[in-house]
Amino acid sequence: MILEMKVPSPGESIKEVEIATWLVQDGDYVEKDQAIAEVDSDKATLELPAEASGIITLKAEEGDAVAVGAVVCHIDTAAAKPSGSAAPVAAAPAAEAPKAAPAAAPAPVAAAPSYAAGTPSPAAKKILDEKNIAPATVSGTGKGGRITKDDAVNAVPSMGTPTGGSRGQERTKLSMLRRKVAERLVAAKNETAMLTTFNEVNMTPINNIRNEYKDAFKAKHGGIGLGFMSFFTKAVTRALQLYPDVNSMMDGDHKIAFDFADISIAVSGPKGLMVPVVRNAENLTFRGIEAEIKRLAIKARDGQITVDDMTGGTFTITNGGVFGSMLSTPIINPPQSGILGMHNIIERPIAVNGKVEIHPMMYVALSYDHRIIDGRESVGFLVAVKEALENPIELLMDNNPKKALEL
């Protein structure tokens, strides 16, 4: 029986996928539920499992865009599974005694190079040394290839040539996911009134908490680390409650406001930037946030992220600091109206109570859609984030770090 395998629907709004990689070859025997291909949609990369066991015949090439429901391969379910034993080897006929090969003609003997070739005269060597020129880079015009004084005088240091290096290039098609990301980023720049406001955060209080409790936190919660993202997520959900316009989005001539905070967290995966969503982050504890971010990051790293994991989101946090970024203007993740950019932490001198002190500082940036968020809300939101991060025990932990961290 020949089974036609069709592309399943990865999501309600997805009409087309792209064959990213075939994990099997034409004519292979596949087992039921074995991953046979990776397909890219405009939201995620998904594995395509075999629907039955049998011999597979591929009907699409890598890079082909195929409609949802289209046939991409046939599986012959009546085909027997190949035996694992090796086929018997037939006895080889007795080999005839090798005949003597005809004697090869002697190769011509190359003339021995002159001992003087490439050797500078004493005067030439002194000049080359002064110019810091290696004799091997100079062609000698003297007897036997010897480098003369005139050769040394006329020699110039090598500065390379415009055509001396590699000039190769490679043209590869962007994945469907990457093309969709590009399309959305351009749309965000063209279709929103995007502005960015900046502030800086003194990370000393958070560093002190992490240094004091991170080992106990990790031991208590099964290896989950106490990172910066839980503090930032907590600070953002608090600020969204204070400034609800930042937690809203445009829909034509209407504004949609949310009473929950689904925080999109930008993570790096093998196919590029992914933005999975931490649902109802306002209700999660520090442990809950760190555990959910770890779960989603592992799925993204392993290429197992799904459309549902990235659908929705009311606000985004992106951390360019892990790559060394000091300052940037993050682009809004449409249809959201705001995105917070974190950056690297650098020790800098700041004024504290009239004195100069060295503290670990981070620049933070809020990009927002000015069509729906005014300057007062945007600046107020970012200041609220800064206040919570610089006073986390009072504003994020209710003056009880051990209870907040469930220790």
Side-chain angles (χ1 to χ4, degrees):
M1 175 182 174
I2 301 298
L3 172 68
E4 292 185 337
M5 269 200 59
K6 300 178 180 180
V7 178
S9 175
E12 185 177 348
S13 62
I14 298 175
K15 305 300 181 186
E16 188 180 67
V17 299
E18 188 174 279
I19 305 296
T21 306
W22 281 110
L23 304 177
V24 295
Q25 295 182 354
D26 196 56
D28 282 356
Y29 185 89
V30 298
E31 299 283 357
K32 183 180 180 182
D33 296 327
Q34 174 186 342
I36 60 173
E38 290 182 350
V39 296
D40 281 342
S41 72
D42 59 9
K43 295 183 178 178
T45 298
L46 308 171
E47 285 188 346
L48 186 65
E51 297 177 5
S53 299
I55 300 293
I56 191 168
T57 303
L58 308 183
K59 295 296 183 182
E61 301 288 339
E62 290 185 358
D64 285 355
V66 292
V68 170
V71 176
V72 290
C73 66
H74 290 167
I75 298 178
D76 183 359
T77 59
K81 184 175 182 180
S83 171
S85 59
V89 179
E96 295 181 2
K99 296 180 181 179
V109 179
S114 168
Y115 74 93
T119 302
S121 67
K125 186 177 186 306
K126 180 179 179 182
I127 295 172
L128 292 178
D129 288 343
E130 291 174 351
K131 291 185 174 183
N132 196 26
I133 298 176
T137 63
V138 180
S139 297
T141 61
K143 185 176 181 180
R146 190 177 185 86
I147 300 173
T148 66
K149 179 180 178 181
D150 288 341
D151 294 333
V153 170
N154 296 327
V156 294
S158 173
M159 296 182 294
T161 60
T163 59
S166 172
R167 295 176 59 79
Q169 59 180 345
E170 182 182 6
R171 182 183 180 91
T172 57
K173 186 178 181 181
L174 294 176
S175 68
M176 183 175 286
L177 174 62
R178 194 67 203 175
R179 296 199 302 270
K180 188 63 176 180
V181 169
E183 178 185 320
R184 287 165 60 85
L185 292 177
V186 172
K189 293 285 287 184
N190 293 340
E191 298 172 10
T192 65
M194 193 176 77
L195 291 179
T196 305
T197 185
F198 304 93
N199 214 315
E200 62 180 359
V201 176
N202 184 346
M203 299 295 290
T204 299
I206 291 178
N207 282 350
N208 291 342
I209 293 172
R210 293 183 69 244
N211 290 338
E212 183 174 356
Y213 296 109
K214 65 181 180 181
D215 292 339
F217 185 90
K218 190 170 187 177
K220 177 68 179 293
H221 301 307
I224 297 173
L226 179 61
F228 294 111
M229 289 305 300
S230 54
F231 288 93
F232 274 82
T233 303
K234 280 283 189 182
V236 162
T237 57
R238 173 182 176 271
L240 289 175
Q241 292 173 344
L242 296 174
Y243 297 92
D245 278 351
V246 183
N247 198 39
S248 61
M249 59 184 64
M250 293 284 291
D251 183 16
D253 294 333
H254 296 77
K255 178 180 78 171
I256 302 175
F258 303 97
D259 63 357
F260 57 88
D262 282 357
I263 305 300
S264 303
I265 306 291
V267 297
S268 182
K271 297 290 185 178
L273 192 67
M274 306 286 184
V275 195
V277 180
V278 177
R279 312 284 177 186
N280 286 105
E282 76 280 5
N283 296 330
L284 296 179
T285 62
F286 282 84
R287 178 179 65 86
I289 293 171
E290 293 290 357
E292 183 65 1
I293 291 175
K294 181 179 180 180
R295 182 185 73 85
L296 293 170
I298 291 174
K299 291 185 72 174
R301 181 197 65 195
D302 295 343
Q304 301 296 319
I305 207 79
T306 66
V307 174
D308 288 341
D309 290 327
M310 297 193 293
T311 300
T314 63
F315 186 88
T316 296
I317 301 175
T318 181
N319 184 6
V322 296
F323 304 111
S325 170
M326 183 177 182
L327 194 62
S328 68
T329 55
I331 299 178
I332 296 170
N333 180 20
Q336 298 172 17
S337 297
I339 179 171
L340 180 73
M342 301 165 56
H343 300 91
N344 62 352
I345 300 172
I346 297 179
E347 290 194 343
R348 292 191 282 110
I350 62 171
V352 179
N353 297 323
K355 297 181 180 179
V356 176
E357 297 182 6
I358 305 296
H359 284 272
M361 304 297 294
M362 176 194 287
Y363 288 120
V364 288
L366 173 71
S367 292
Y368 60 98
D369 189 346
H370 207 353
R371 297 177 303 166
I372 198 170
I373 302 171
D374 290 332
R376 185 186 73 85
E377 282 78 17
S378 62
V379 174
F381 174 90
L382 199 55
V383 169
V385 170
K386 171 184 169 69
E387 290 173 344
L389 295 173
E390 293 185 339
N391 192 5
I393 292 179
E394 178 183 348
L395 299 181
L396 301 180
M397 295 179 158
D398 198 23
N399 291 308
N400 192 337
K402 287 189 174 181
K403 183 178 178 181
L405 299 176
E406 303 173 69
L407 299 177

